[in-house]
């Protein structure tokens, strides 16, 4: 059986790479994955499965094993990001300003590859496999909730998922027992000052300058207000104010993200955002609003399933191919599934400096070593077979 | 002979008519076709010769005195602003989104009034008057464009006068000062280049937003810590744009701003002061910067040696009590470009009144003037001309 999986994976590797490149060329933003959905449906139908749409732009399909057993869900997220692709490859994004800069193109291709392998090996399966192609992972409140609301987990006993991961090198997987990914929250700060001509600053309250002061003060929240043994991140991702060089703007808007693992830490950071913004605005004579958007829960892995991943990983990639990673500050709405059923998430390494695969997730030049797709398909397929044996 | 101001007051109605005709059809810089045509028509009706220009907008008229002498240029700017007028008046702008919100309509009326007064006194005139109706002051390109077309040469201009309406000075008054009046205008663009990445992994990025925020604050310390507190300087940032999503740290951030100064030495040192501040802060945060520093306009500085002459001449128009001290302002004016080439004097014409509201500054959608000011403007320009050609005759 061992040889068979590897062989199947190798035979279809080129097809999986082609699929990944197709999705990379035609990325679609969260909630708009219509073409992506269509292609996934077509591929699954070609395998003899009966896929159906779910959560508007997602896809669900069930593979029945030859023998009785539990139901395992395998999930891939399918949306892209509002980033201009600068990968400079033949498969560069054809959709202006939209890019698979987080590897979800590979996630779709891998899960289609896993579906193909498991379909061909369904005689070995003691239980069912449910394939979940989930839209809108990058945008709150996240597509996982919609899937769950539409019954995607009904009858499911456990769930697994993988993320292609740049910080993990190629030919390795990253696993974590327990805490794996942070709760990603958002905030938006709007500062209102008093606009006016740039030559008469004394008649104005520059929202731009006040916001800059807030940005600087916020950059010490995680260094000063959070227990140094706890982990937290506060990043500002966008800062916009004003139109022309010589008019002092009356409004500035900054949007950012907060990452944490503990509710207490989370609340503390948001309390500081509010206090700092309030204090600086009052001092400057400006007014403000802080919008807080609480995102996904943290990804906390089931120990037993994680152990299965570790064993399979060692079989496929050798002992040195399985790394216990530090928890990531990235967020994942895979956590919503884990709140309902035992589940584990892994990282599949794609980093390869020799091939220039050095750019972090969400970077315009983000790319992957596509050999990772074969590794991912094999690890996921074998883990599924093992969990359903 | 009757004083010029008395004569100007008899022309009050026609000055208002001209100003309102211009106000109704405002045109943006270098697009002042209709405005230029109207000016030419009126000048010709006064018997003023029009000099040919290469460019389509802007008008230059010339009045030759009966006696030879020096050459005085009078300048009015004629362009409007991309502002939607909010005044509910009979002469409201008929062009959506464009408005004479800086009083250039009044400048045109005053200069046409002065032309008419000077034509009437041609026999007394000891020299030549050039009337410069300049396009595109708001774009800072009009003065240079006229100079490039040779308006200060053949005959060579000896002195240039110009005025600007000022809403916080009451109608019937003129504000004058020698030395710096309006600031030099410089433009800065700073691009902070970091390394983008996921907001959850700041350690894998070089965050240009945090660096940009530090740069914006650091720049203020140039004003408060580096420059002599007795020297006026302004550093204002007008725009910052970086990033799209909340959770993606962007590659770069772009900041635009303006620097205003009076003192030429201080001004010439500003690029280096900013460059040093900006590059060091950026370097401290492991980011890189590209800084563009552009000198757009020099300061408007009135020459000391014309101070006494101007006071005496302007007092004839508004009286000793009507001539008040001008406060310098950090706004810019491309009248300064003429002053680089020839001695020139710029002054404020009071256009404020209780009924109009004296707090609505230039460029405001409800900016308006008390039209009672128009005869004073016309008289002031013609008086300075007449007196200069008399007092400075060879």
């Amino acid at each position: 059986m061992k040889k068979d999986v590897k062989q199947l994976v190798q035979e279809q590797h080129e097809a999986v790479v082609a699929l990944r490149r197709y999705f990379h060329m035609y990325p679609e933003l969260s909630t708009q994955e219509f073409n992506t959905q269509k292609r996934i449906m077509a591929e699954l139908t070609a395998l003899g499965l009966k896929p159906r749409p779910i959560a508007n732009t997602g896809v669900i399909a069930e593979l029945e094993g030859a023998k009785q057993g539990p139901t395992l869900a395998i999930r891939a997220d399918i949306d892209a990001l509002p980033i201009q692709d600068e990968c400079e490859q033949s498969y560069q994004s054809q959709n202006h300003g939209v890019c698979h800069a987080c590897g979800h193109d590979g996630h779709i291709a891998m899960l289609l590859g896993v579906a193909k392998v498991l379909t061909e090996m369904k005689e070995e399966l003691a239980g069912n496999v449910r394939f979940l192609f989930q839209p809108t992972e990058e945008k709150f409140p996240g597509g996982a909730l919609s899937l769950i609301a539409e019954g995607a987990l009904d009858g499911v006993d456990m769930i697994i998922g993988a993320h292609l991961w740049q910080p993990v090198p190629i030919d390795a997987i990253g696993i974590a027992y327990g805490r794996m990914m942070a709760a990603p929250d958002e905030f938006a700060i709007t500062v209102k000052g008093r606009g006016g001509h740039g030559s008469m600053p004394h008649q104005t309250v520059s929202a731009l300058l006040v916001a800059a002061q807030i940005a600087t003060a916020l950059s010490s929240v995680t260094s000063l207000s959070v227990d140094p043994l706890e982990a937290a991140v506060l990043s500002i991702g966008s800062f916009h104010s004003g139109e022309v060089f010589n008019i002092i703007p009356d409004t500035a808007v900054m949007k950012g993200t907060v990452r944490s693992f503990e509710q207490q830490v989370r609340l503390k950071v948001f309390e500081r955002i509010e206090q700092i913004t309030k204090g600086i605005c009052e001092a400057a004579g400006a007014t403000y609003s802080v919008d807080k958007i609480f995102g996904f829960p943290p990804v906390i892995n089931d120990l037993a399933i994680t152990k299965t991943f570790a064993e399979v990983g060692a079989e496929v990639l050798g002992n040195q191919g399985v790394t216990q990673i530090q928890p990531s500050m990235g967020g994942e709405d895979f956590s919503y599934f884990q709140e309902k059923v035992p589940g584990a998430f892994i990282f599949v390494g794609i980093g390869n400096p020799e091939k220039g695969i050095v750019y972090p997730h969400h970077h315009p030049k983000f790319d992957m070593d596509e050999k990772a797709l074969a590794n991912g398909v094999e690890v996921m397929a074998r883990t599924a077979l093992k969990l359903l044996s | 002979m009757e004083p010029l101001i008395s004569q100007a007051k008899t022309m009050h109605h026609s000055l208002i008519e001209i100003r309102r005709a211009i106000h109704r059809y405002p045109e943006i810089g270098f697009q002042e076709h209709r405005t230029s045509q109207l000016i030419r028509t009126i000048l010709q009706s006064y018997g003023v010769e029009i000099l040919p220009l290469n460019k389509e907008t802007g008008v230059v008229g010339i009045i030759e005195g009966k006696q030879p002498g020096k050459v005085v240029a009078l300048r009015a700017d004629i362009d409007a602003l991309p502002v939607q007028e909010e005044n509910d008046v009979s002469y409201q702008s008929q062009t959506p989104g464009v408005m004479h919100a800086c009083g250039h309509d009044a400048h045109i009326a005053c200069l046409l009034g002065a032309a008419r007064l000077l034509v009437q006194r041609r026999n007394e005139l000891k020299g030549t008057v050039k009337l410069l109706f300049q396009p595109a002051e708001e774009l800072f390109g009009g003065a240079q464009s006229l100079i490039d077309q040779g308006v200060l040469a053949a005959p060579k201009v000896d002195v240039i006068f110009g005025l600007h309406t000022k809403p916080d000075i009451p109608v019937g008054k003129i504000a004058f000062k020698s030395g710096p009046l309006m600031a030099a205008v410089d433009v800065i663009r700073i691009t902070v280049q970091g390394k983008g990445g996921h907001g959850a992994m700041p350690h894998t990025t070089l965050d240009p937003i945090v660096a940009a925020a530090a740069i914006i604050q650091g720049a203020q310390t140039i004003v408060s810590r580096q420059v002599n507190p007795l020297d006026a300087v302004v550093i204002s940032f007008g725009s910052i744009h970086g990033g799209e999503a909340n959770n993606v740290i962007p590659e770069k951030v772009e900041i635009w701003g303006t620097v205003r100064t009076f003192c030429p030495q201080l001004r010439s040192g500003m690029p280096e002061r900013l460059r040093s501040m900006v590059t060091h802060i950026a370097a401290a945060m492991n980011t890189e910067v590209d800084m563009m520093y552009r000198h757009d306009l020099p300061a408007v500085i009135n020459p000391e040696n014309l101070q006494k002459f101007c006071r005496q001449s302007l007092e004839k128009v508004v009286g000793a009590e009507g001539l008040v001290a001008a406060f310098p302002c950090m706004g810019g004016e491309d009248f300064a470009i003429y002053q680089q080439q020839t001695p020139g004097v710029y002054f404020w014409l009071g256009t404020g009144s209780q009924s109009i509201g004296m707090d609505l500054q230039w460029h405001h959608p409800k900016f308006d003037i008390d039209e009672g000011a128009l005869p004073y403007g016309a008289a002031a320009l013609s008086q300075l001309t007449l007196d200069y050609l008399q007092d400075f005759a060879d």
Side-chain angles (χ1 to χ4, degrees):
Chain A
M1 181 183 102
K2 190 175 169 183
K3 189 160 173 275
D4 288 345
V5 177
K6 197 173 257 331
Q7 237 173 18
L8 283 171
V9 169
Q10 291 308 326
E11 279 166 21
Q12 58 152 341
H13 180 58
E14 271 182 40
V16 170
V17 168
L19 278 168
R20 180 259 160 170
R21 293 184 177 188
Y22 173 81
F23 291 117
H24 194 88
M25 284 174 76
Y26 304 103
E28 293 172 300
L29 292 175
S30 310
T31 74
Q32 295 165 33
E33 307 92 337
F34 298 102
N35 179 58
T36 307
Q37 179 187 48
K38 211 169 123 189
R39 181 70 192 258
I40 293 168
M41 296 275 288
E43 292 293 327
L44 292 172
T45 305
L47 295 180
L49 297 173
K50 294 192 177 68
R52 59 184 173 85
I54 188 168
N56 203 27
T57 49
V59 180
I60 183 168
E62 186 112 347
L63 171 67
E64 285 184 25
K67 294 167 256 178
Q68 290 289 310
T71 296
L72 168 74
I74 312 179
R75 172 270 206 174
D77 43 3
I78 67 172
D79 55 331
L81 288 161
I83 292 173
Q84 180 62 38
D85 191 2
E86 294 174 17
C87 77
E88 290 170 2
Q89 299 292 338
S90 58
Y91 46 87
Q92 176 135 349
S93 168
Q94 301 299 299
N95 295 347
H96 187 78
V98 185
C99 176
H100 268 298
C102 201
H104 298 189
D105 48 348
H107 300 172
I108 308 168
M110 277 199 303
L111 188 51
L112 289 171
V114 170
K116 170 125 181 146
V117 171
L118 294 180
T119 303
E120 298 203 13
M121 301 193 70
K122 65 183 171 194
E123 298 307 319
E124 316 262 350
L125 286 173
N128 296 347
V129 181
R130 190 173 296 173
F131 303 103
L132 303 179
F133 293 87
Q134 179 210 308
T136 320
E137 187 273 330
E138 298 286 2
K139 198 170 153 192
F140 295 153
L145 283 177
S146 310
L147 250 66
I148 293 168
E150 292 185 27
L153 289 185
D154 292 356
V156 167
D157 299 288
M158 52 195 160
I159 187 164
I160 55 173
H163 205 303
L164 292 160
W165 207 244
Q166 191 275 332
V168 175
I170 187 71
D171 292 333
I173 61 166
I175 59 161
Y177 292 95
R179 208 183 250 202
M180 182 162 190
M181 297 185 79
D185 301 322
E186 289 180 22
F187 64 90
I189 298 172
T190 304
V191 176
K192 286 267 181 200
R194 191 167 63 244
H197 200 278
S199 66
M200 291 173 270
H202 58 296
Q203 297 177 353
T204 73
V205 175
S206 171
L208 191 162
L209 181 60
V210 173
Q213 289 169 343
I214 293 168
T216 302
L218 290 182
S219 62
S220 58
V221 167
T222 54
S223 59
L224 294 178
S225 304
V226 174
D227 179 345
L229 296 178
E230 260 299 338
V233 173
L234 189 167
S235 291
I236 297 168
S238 82
F239 183 171
H240 294 275
S241 181
E243 298 302 328
V244 289
F245 78 98
N246 61 348
I247 304 295
I248 291 174
D250 65 352
T251 307
V253 179
M254 295 189 291
K255 290 182 180 168
T257 185
V258 172
R259 307 292 166 124
S260 58
F261 293 100
E262 293 289 334
Q263 186 67 3
Q264 239 176 305
V265 173
R266 198 180 196 185
L267 295 178
K268 178 74 178 178
V269 171
F270 275 96
E271 184 191 327
R272 292 295 295 145
I273 291 174
E274 181 88 31
Q275 281 173 340
I276 285 169
T277 305
K278 180 169 189 272
I280 290 175
C281 284
E282 276 178 2
T287 57
Y288 72 96
S289 65
V290 178
D291 294 327
K292 301 163 193 166
I293 305 157
F294 289 100
F296 320 139
V299 172
I300 310 288
N301 283 334
D302 178 82
L303 302 183
I305 301 175
T306 305
K307 188 157 173 279
T308 305
F309 263 130
E311 288 162 6
V312 169
E315 284 168 30
V316 176
L317 302 164
N319 281 329
Q320 75 289 349
V322 181
T323 319
Q324 273 205 48
I325 54 144
Q326 282 191 322
S328 158
M329 300 313 286
E332 244 297 347
D333 70 352
F334 187 77
S335 55
Y336 282 122
F337 299 117
Q338 291 176 306
E339 285 190 331
K340 301 285 179 193
V341 296
F345 200 65
I346 60 162
F347 289 150
V348 176
I350 58 168
N352 192 347
E354 282 174 25
K355 291 188 184 172
I357 309 296
V358 294
Y359 294 98
H361 290 264
H362 293 205
H363 191 285
K365 291 188 195 294
F366 173 84
D367 204 351
M368 63 178 69
D369 183 339
E370 289 169 328
K371 184 162 182 287
L373 300 173
N375 296 340
V377 171
E378 193 174 347
V379 169
M380 296 299 280
R382 284 197 200 213
T383 301
L385 286 163
K386 196 157 186 165
L387 289 170
L388 298 181
S389 63
Chain B
M1 202 113 188
E2 199 183 351
L4 277 164
I5 181 61
S6 311
Q7 264 185 297
K9 281 180 177 171
T10 65
M11 297 166 21
H12 194 187
H13 282 295
S14 82
L15 292 175
I16 291 174
E17 223 170 86
I18 292 169
R19 182 256 162 169
R20 293 185 177 187
I22 303 279
H23 192 91
R24 275 191 196 98
Y25 298 102
E27 293 169 304
I28 298 289
F30 290 125
Q31 295 169 32
E32 311 93 336
H33 298 281
R34 184 188 176 118
T35 308
S36 299
Q37 188 50 48
L38 183 63
I39 292 167
R40 279 191 287 267
T41 305
I42 295 172
L43 284 177
Q44 279 160 345
S45 77
Y46 297 160
V48 174
E49 185 194 342
I50 313 263
L51 295 180
L53 289 174
N54 301 329
K55 296 271 171 68
E56 285 177 24
T57 67
V59 180
V60 176
I62 188 161
I63 303 169
E64 302 277 5
K66 277 281 180 295
Q67 305 160 58
K70 299 254 175 181
V71 180
V72 173
L74 299 175
R75 175 271 205 170
D77 41 6
I78 68 172
D79 57 327
L81 285 161
V83 171
Q84 176 64 43
E85 173 149 24
E86 290 176 14
N87 287 317
D88 185 15
V89 289
S90 62
Y91 49 89
Q92 190 182 37
S93 167
Q94 299 300 299
T95 311
V98 184
M99 177 190 175
H100 270 295
C102 201
H104 297 188
D105 49 347
H107 302 170
I108 296 169
C110 290
L111 185 50
L112 286 170
R116 194 168 154 196
L117 292 167
L118 290 167
V119 167
Q120 289 170 3
R121 306 221 176 185
R122 200 172 245 158
N123 291 337
E124 287 175 53
L125 273 186
K126 294 181 179 162
T128 304
V129 186
K130 281 185 174 174
L131 309 159
L132 311 185
F133 293 88
Q134 177 209 305
E137 186 276 326
E138 300 289 356
L139 306 179
F140 294 163
Q144 193 60 53
S145 163
L146 279 191
I147 291 170
D148 291 344
Q149 294 174 77
V151 301
L152 294 183
K156 185 181 173 303
V157 168
D158 294 295
V159 72
I160 184 165
F161 298 108
L163 61 76
H164 204 298
T165 54
K166 195 99 164 64
D168 53 359
I169 297 169
V171 70
K173 292 190 189 295
I174 282 173
F176 169 80
K177 82 180 281 291
S178 64
L181 184 70
M182 296 185 78
V185 178
D186 297 341
V187 180
I188 42 177
R189 186 198 62 215
I190 300 164
T191 307
V192 184
Q193 180 76 44
K195 181 178 156 210
H198 199 293
M201 293 172 269
H203 58 295
T204 65
T205 72
L206 300 170
D207 190 339
I209 288 185
V210 174
I215 285 168
I216 287 164
Q217 291 163 82
Q220 299 310 316
T221 67
I222 295 175
V223 179
S224 64
R225 305 288 87 187
Q226 293 189 17
V227 172
N228 183 336
L230 296 177
D231 283 337
V233 57
V234 172
I235 300 174
S236 289
F237 293 104
S239 79
I240 178 168
H241 292 286
E244 297 302 329
N246 77 87
N247 58 348
V248 182
I249 291 173
E251 280 287 293
K252 63 179 181 182
V253 172
E254 190 170 277
I255 312 166
W256 284 83
T258 184
V259 176
R260 308 290 168 116
T261 50
F262 290 116
C263 167
Q265 288 83 353
L266 176 61
R267 184 189 192 204
S268 64
M270 289 306 286
E272 191 43 45
R273 286 182 196 273
L274 267 157
R275 200 175 302 284
S276 173
M277 181 67 71
V278 164
T279 52
H280 286 104
I281 292 176
M285 301 205 163
N286 290 325
T287 54
E288 288 178 7
V289 282
D290 174 61
M291 191 178 96
M292 184 279 295
Y293 193 107
R294 193 174 76 215
H295 291 296
D296 262 17
L297 281 182
V300 172
I301 298 174
N302 290 332
E304 294 294 337
N305 62 1
L306 288 173
Q307 178 176 194
K308 198 170 155 216
F309 161 78
C310 287
R311 286 191 183 289
Q312 286 174 347
S313 185
L314 292 171
E315 276 184 14
K316 292 180 193 169
V317 177
V318 289
E321 72 291 345
L323 187 62
V324 299
F327 290 98
C329 113
M330 302 304 285
E333 229 311 329
D334 76 353
F335 189 81
I337 305 273
Y338 301 107
Q339 291 179 315
Q340 300 290 103
Q341 313 269 332
T342 185
V345 174
Y346 201 63
F347 59 93
W348 310 135
L349 174 70
T351 55
S353 69
Q354 295 310 324
S355 58
I356 298 285
M358 311 215 334
D359 54 338
L360 297 178
Q361 268 296 345
W362 299 326
H363 298 205
H364 195 283
K366 289 189 171 168
F367 177 88
D368 203 351
I369 62 159
D370 185 326
E371 290 167 328
L374 298 174
Y376 292 98
L381 291 171
S382 50
Q383 191 76 57
L384 285 165
T385 306
L386 212 57
D387 292 348
Y388 185 90
L389 293 178
Q390 179 68 43
D391 294 7
F392 292 85
D394 295 321

